Amino acid sequence: MKKILVSALVLATASCASSNYCKSWNNPASQGNQDSLDTFISALIWVESRGNDSAYCASEDAVGCLQIRPIMIDEVNRITNSKQYLLEDRWDRDCSIEILKVYFEYYGWDDFEMIARGWNGGPKGYAKSATEGYWEKVKVRMEALNA
């Protein structure tokens, strides 16, 4: 059912070099307006890479502003039932954000804490105590951006 929902959403842009899949981004229902979503994404990017689109962590092969690993590319391709996302897409900010969207919408996470902790710790990351510190960093950055 989730796959059908993800696939049924409207194509908004084709920012990724290989992508013909991107849906309109809807704010998680409990979060409010687009500004809060933009702040959340900016905070997540800051925690992951300090805003550096060229960030690279060789030990994890984590790339780009959201430090996306090859396994995430495999996961979003599984979710979209395609091979449209390529490893080089991780270097592109818009594509990285699109990958984040595909991932969190597929799992149905409906608040920023679940999204952040799931992004950090995988599909069940929102329930892992190991992701609590990551969420705290994101919250602190969101507060700084809102100040």
Side-chain angles (χ1 to χ4, degrees):
M1 175 124 169
K2 289 179 184 176
K3 186 159 75 170
I4 292 169
L5 177 61
V6 169
S7 299
L9 293 170
V10 179
L11 177 68
T13 181
S15 60
C16 298
S18 62
S19 177
N20 63 2
Y21 174 89
C22 183
K23 54 204 169 307
S24 60
W25 175 268
N26 293 317
N27 226 1
S30 62
Q31 300 301 309
N33 63 31
Q34 184 65 36
D35 290 338
S36 65
L37 176 64
D38 293 342
T39 300
F40 169 73
I41 292 172
S42 293
L44 205 63
I45 288 171
W46 181 258
V47 169
E48 289 289 346
S49 69
R50 298 295 188 258
N52 182 356
D53 293 337
S54 298
Y56 177 64
C57 176
S59 65
E60 298 179 6
D61 194 16
V63 169
C65 67
L66 283 169
Q67 291 293 281
I68 297 173
R69 299 176 186 167
I71 195 163
M72 180 58 70
I73 297 298
D74 293 342
E75 176 71 351
V76 295
N77 281 332
R78 181 192 65 79
I79 289 168
T80 62
N81 195 30
S82 73
K83 295 286 186 194
Q84 64 196 23
Y85 295 100
L86 304 176
L87 291 175
E88 59 263 22
D89 292 334
R90 302 174 296 162
W91 296 101
D92 180 89
R93 180 177 293 243
D94 291 335
C95 191
S96 293
I97 293 169
E98 182 177 317
I99 289 166
L100 169 68
K101 293 174 188 179
V102 169
Y103 185 67
F104 101 71
E105 287 184 356
Y106 175 79
Y107 285 103
W109 297 325
D110 61 0
D111 67 50
F112 294 151
E113 180 177 1
M114 288 182 79
I115 296 167
R117 293 177 69 188
W119 185 251
N120 179 245
K124 296 187 182 191
Y126 63 86
K128 296 177 182 176
S129 61
T131 63
E132 291 171 357
Y134 182 84
W135 169 236
E136 288 304 313
K137 291 177 188 177
V138 173
K139 276 197 320 189
V140 166
R141 185 62 186 170
M142 287 177 71
E143 290 167 6
L145 290 169
N146 286 323

